[in-house]
Amino acid sequence: MIQISLLAFVYSSFALYIIMTIDPALLNKYNVPVPRYTSYPTVPFWKDGIDSAQWKAVFQEQFKLNNGKQGISLYLHLPFCESLCTYCGCNKKITTNHTVEEVYMEALAKEWNIYLELMNEPPVVRELHLGGGTPTFFSPENLKKLLNIIFEKSIVNPDHEFSIEGHPNNTTTEHLQTLFDLGFRRVSYGVQDNDPEVQRVINRIQPVENVQRATDAARAIGFKSVNFDLIYGLPLQTIESLYKTILQTVAMRPDRIAFYSYAHVPWTSRGQRLFDEKDLPSTEEKMKLYQLGKELLSQNGYFDIGMDHFALETDDMYAAKLEGRLHRNFMGYTTQHTSLLLGLGVSSISDAGIAFSQNEKTLHDYYAFIERNELPVKRGYFLSEEDVAFKNYILDISCKGKTTFKKEHLPLLKEFSFSELIKLEQDQLINWSEEGVTVTALGAHFIRNICKAFDLHLLRNQQETAGPRFSKAI
Ligand SMILES: C[S@@+](CC[C@H](N)C(=O)[O-])C[C@H]1O[C@@H](n2cnc3c(N)ncnc32)[C@H](O)[C@@H]1O
Ligand code: SF4
């Protein structure tokens, strides 16, 4: 007993000693609701009831432009999970009935066929990501079947990058070997937190041995990059528990780490109502968790890529950051860039550069559209010239830490952005002039807030009372 409390004391004293690198007052000031800018305009500003014919036309046009050059990216959303993690904000369907796999695969194949007809020539697949839900809910045989449906009518770019989100509890050697044989080299595991008490309250019992086993298996088979997702700000999380989780994590040397801020959005993710809000860390505690995580990761050789992402210097993401090759989309930062992302499956998002579309969010509605052989697009957005220009400013800031203004945008920049830039400069987060903006080393911790200076939708909307709600920056 004495030994345990002594250990806790040593952990907390040491942890508190290392966390105070960013002024807490500054963190507090910028800890306001702000989007993660995985798209611009951000999803809450898209419109319901997108014109499906217009989306098809834009998709076809962008496909013709891009297929022969870089090829396309595919995202397949596999929504099923066996049990509900109460913190989860993803689009998922909880079931233990695995017969849903076949039904869902058939629907995905039909949706793919609708797009194949639109494409009218075999697509060149450069990037492919299986996300969820839990893609490893599907049996290895079914994943193989599904991927073969995709590959049967497409050409795989020799320089491809295929990745999957795996759950450490149910990712088997068979899953990994099957995927490796199909060209997958990246796997991302949801780790979240290793503390048994935190795991109990978030309903995700996941012994650290399972994470180690899944990581060792991926490496033994030949996966070249393993990512871990961690979350800070979960219920019952403490400085000591996070300290321990991060030390256990860095000991396994994942190539990349996503260190997410827990997004508490109980108005859309009802599972988050299943734990007591009193168990959530206070804003001040959450900021300490954030500081501790950032500091510990950088002390252990992880380079801060920006907005939640860290990578070892041996990982391609590190070189991409230095060489200005980073891109940002719905999956966060990526190292390759195609201009057309096609999302298949319930709730999936497609990005055609000048337009976005999102599929129906419930399985019931998704299946109903597919039954009628119609594209299940529900929401979306067609970008104006102004949107494209400001999207590029936001991408520049988040991927390169700097941007150059075009003369023709100066009137809009003066009207909306410059007053924001003045405030950011006063806090030493940026340097700027009428030529452009450069993010400072301090500003790199506040990228979301800096991007907001170019979010004309949000800035215009601020004048109105009931705007969309976002999670806080930290
Ligand atoms: C689809 S899940 C990952 C794969 C698999 N389902 C699993 O949980 O291991 C995607 C990631 O989103 C993150 N996530 C989910 N809900 C979140 C929330 N409310 N706030 C922050 N991150 C969240 C988690 O880190 C999770 O690993
Ligand atoms: S965190 Fe992963 S496993 Fe848990 S409910 Fe969400 S998608 Fe499913």
Side-chain angles (χ1 to χ4, degrees):
M1 198 62 190
I2 292 169
Q3 262 180 344
I4 291 172
S5 43
L6 186 65
L7 196 65
F9 175 75
V10 173
Y11 272 148
S12 58
S13 312
F14 182 62
L16 283 169
Y17 167 73
I18 62 171
I19 56 182
M20 288 304 157
T21 45
I22 310 171
D23 178 3
L26 199 61
L27 278 177
N28 212 8
K29 178 173 175 185
Y30 285 98
N31 188 22
V32 293
V34 61
R36 293 181 61 235
Y37 292 108
T38 51
S39 75
Y40 181 77
T42 54
V43 178
F45 290 103
W46 297 3
K47 309 238 178 339
D48 266 332
I50 178 180
D51 179 345
S52 171
Q54 193 183 352
W55 165 250
K56 282 181 182 175
V58 172
F59 177 84
Q60 273 181 315
E61 181 194 289
Q62 293 304 310
F63 176 77
K64 269 197 206 125
L65 279 174
N66 289 293
N67 197 41
K69 293 186 204 154
Q70 317 113 312
I72 68 166
S73 299
L74 279 180
Y75 171 79
L76 309 191
H77 191 77
L78 305 179
F80 306 108
C81 305
E82 288 209 339
S83 69
L84 174 71
C85 312
T86 52
Y87 62 84
C88 179
C90 305
N91 181 295
K92 72 274 173 192
K93 176 84 183 163
I94 310 299
T95 178
T96 48
N97 173 5
H98 282 259
T99 59
V100 294
E101 293 178 32
E102 290 280 348
V103 182
Y104 191 72
M105 280 166 33
E106 259 174 50
L108 268 187
K110 283 187 185 160
E111 190 187 359
W112 176 234
N113 271 331
I114 303 177
Y115 275 105
L116 282 172
E117 269 173 39
L118 288 178
M119 293 189 271
N120 209 16
E121 66 176 70
V124 177
V125 181
R126 171 94 181 256
E127 289 173 298
L128 172 64
H129 184 75
L130 301 184
T134 302
T136 45
F137 174 99
F138 282 66
S139 68
E141 302 73 47
N142 278 341
L143 284 179
K144 185 174 178 180
K145 215 158 126 186
L146 175 64
L147 289 161
N148 280 334
I149 291 172
I150 300 290
F151 296 148
E152 209 182 326
K153 300 214 173 118
S154 56
I155 298 164
V156 173
N157 188 319
D159 188 19
H160 62 267
E161 190 166 295
F162 296 169
S163 50
I164 177 161
E165 287 166 24
H167 192 312
N169 280 355
N170 66 11
T171 304
T172 63
T173 306
E174 293 72 40
H175 278 117
L176 292 164
Q177 188 64 57
T178 303
L179 292 161
F180 183 85
D181 294 343
L182 288 162
F184 283 69
R185 295 293 180 269
R186 292 187 181 280
V187 60
S188 172
Y189 290 124
V191 175
Q192 331 306 358
D193 190 290
N194 292 335
D195 184 76
E197 265 305 283
V198 175
Q199 292 191 358
R200 183 185 56 75
V201 80
I202 61 175
N203 194 37
R204 186 181 171 110
I205 306 302
Q206 178 182 272
V208 70
E209 293 74 34
N210 289 6
V211 180
Q212 183 79 61
R213 181 194 44 74
T215 305
D216 291 346
R219 294 223 165 99
I221 285 167
F223 277 74
K224 72 169 189 207
S225 179
V226 177
N227 174 81
F228 285 2
D229 289 344
L230 299 179
I231 305 183
Y232 64 92
L234 288 170
L236 298 186
Q237 217 172 29
T238 62
I239 290 287
E240 296 86 52
S241 72
L242 184 67
Y243 183 81
K244 203 170 161 195
T245 290
I246 293 192
L247 288 196
Q248 286 169 329
T249 295
V250 296
M252 290 184 239
R253 294 322 271 167
D255 304 84
R256 295 178 187 175
I257 295 174
F259 184 52
Y260 292 126
S261 165
Y262 166 61
H264 191 55
V265 285
W267 54 92
T268 51
S269 298
R270 284 159 180 267
Q272 296 180 349
R273 297 175 191 175
L274 293 174
F275 56 79
D276 194 338
E277 284 195 348
K278 283 196 228 107
D279 287 338
L280 286 172
S282 66
T283 305
E284 203 183 300
E285 285 162 345
K286 195 174 177 188
M287 284 192 303
K288 282 187 186 158
L289 294 170
Y290 164 78
Q291 294 246 49
L292 171 73
K294 272 198 165 223
E295 196 60 34
L296 268 183
L297 291 175
S298 60
Q299 282 182 6
N300 283 280
Y302 286 87
F303 183 80
D304 191 347
I305 300 291
M307 288 204 262
D308 325 321
H309 291 255
F310 293 79
L312 287 176
E313 289 186 9
T314 44
D315 191 273
D316 187 34
M317 190 165 270
Y318 173 74
K321 168 84 181 183
L322 296 189
E323 292 159 15
R325 282 191 285 115
L326 270 187
H327 184 60
R328 190 163 170 82
N329 63 20
F330 297 100
M331 287 156 272
Y333 284 110
T334 62
T335 51
Q336 279 187 353
H337 182 26
T338 69
S339 303
L340 185 59
L341 166 69
L342 171 58
L344 301 176
V346 65
S347 80
S348 277
I349 288 174
S350 297
D351 178 356
I354 52 167
F356 296 110
S357 80
Q358 179 167 31
N359 279 351
E360 289 288 345
K361 284 189 185 169
T362 68
L363 276 174
H364 175 271
D365 293 339
Y366 173 74
Y367 287 146
F369 272 83
I370 297 290
E371 273 302 295
R372 300 196 296 269
N373 212 28
E374 285 175 26
L375 278 189
V377 289
K378 178 179 171 58
R379 274 169 77 73
Y381 192 91
F382 296 97
L383 280 77
S384 64
E385 274 181 30
E386 175 195 297
D387 290 325
V388 173
F390 281 72
K391 172 183 169 174
N392 287 333
Y393 290 138
I394 286 176
L395 273 175
D396 275 354
I397 294 290
S398 49
C399 298
K400 299 181 185 144
K402 60 183 178 194
T403 192
T404 307
F405 299 143
K406 292 210 169 112
K407 276 213 169 61
E408 63 266 31
H409 303 139
L410 283 176
L412 270 173
L413 287 162
K414 279 182 185 158
E415 188 180 348
F416 292 103
S417 305
F418 284 4
S419 55
E420 302 293 318
L421 298 182
I422 290 170
K423 289 185 244 167
L424 293 165
E425 189 180 42
Q426 278 165 357
D427 286 328
Q428 297 172 4
L429 306 188
I430 58 164
N431 294 311
W432 75 283
S433 70
E434 290 204 4
E435 305 287 306
V437 172
T438 308
V439 176
T440 62
L442 180 61
H445 300 285
F446 299 90
I447 293 285
R448 285 166 79 169
N449 307 79
I450 300 170
C451 289
K452 192 177 153 206
F454 300 95
D455 185 342
L456 299 191
H457 289 268
L458 199 58
L459 295 173
R460 285 185 177 120
N461 199 267
Q462 268 175 359
Q463 289 136 18
E464 295 166 22
T465 42
R469 296 203 268 172
F470 297 95
S471 62
K472 285 192 176 178
I474 292 162

